[in-house]
Amino acid sequence: AFRMAVGSIVTQEEPLPLLLDETFAMYDQKRLSETLKYISRTNSQVLLFSCHKREIEALKELGISYHIIEL
């Protein structure tokens, strides 16, 4: 939350992409859903790196559009 707040203050001209790497590993399902809803309302591009499938399942459940690249 702190990084997102600082980022919005520092980059008022153009939003920077938000990079998240295994950020939600310790989140329960409710917290994950609420956070994904909040992030989807931002005007930033979001790059989410994870080895888990639960983020994809939550995005599908919430009806949030996404693109996936699997390696």
Side-chain angles (χ1 to χ4, degrees):
F2 178 73
R3 283 187 269 167
M4 290 178 69
V6 169
S8 67
I9 293 169
V10 173
T11 61
Q12 292 187 8
E13 293 176 13
E14 183 177 331
L16 291 176
L18 179 61
L19 301 172
L20 304 170
D21 184 15
E22 291 297 339
T23 305
F24 310 122
M26 302 302 287
Y27 280 27
D28 60 27
Q29 193 61 36
K30 181 179 180 186
R31 184 172 294 177
L32 173 64
S33 296
E34 292 300 318
T35 303
L36 290 174
K37 283 192 274 186
Y38 174 78
I39 289 172
S40 73
R41 293 189 301 260
T42 66
N43 292 330
S44 297
Q45 178 183 25
V46 179
L47 302 174
L48 173 60
F49 298 93
S50 179
C51 64
H52 303 284
K53 301 284 186 195
R54 69 187 198 119
E55 288 87 351
I56 296 169
E57 294 167 6
L59 289 168
K60 284 179 186 176
E61 257 183 46
L62 296 168
I64 298 171
S65 63
Y66 64 92
H67 300 282
I68 185 169
I69 299 174
E70 293 188 63
L71 302 176

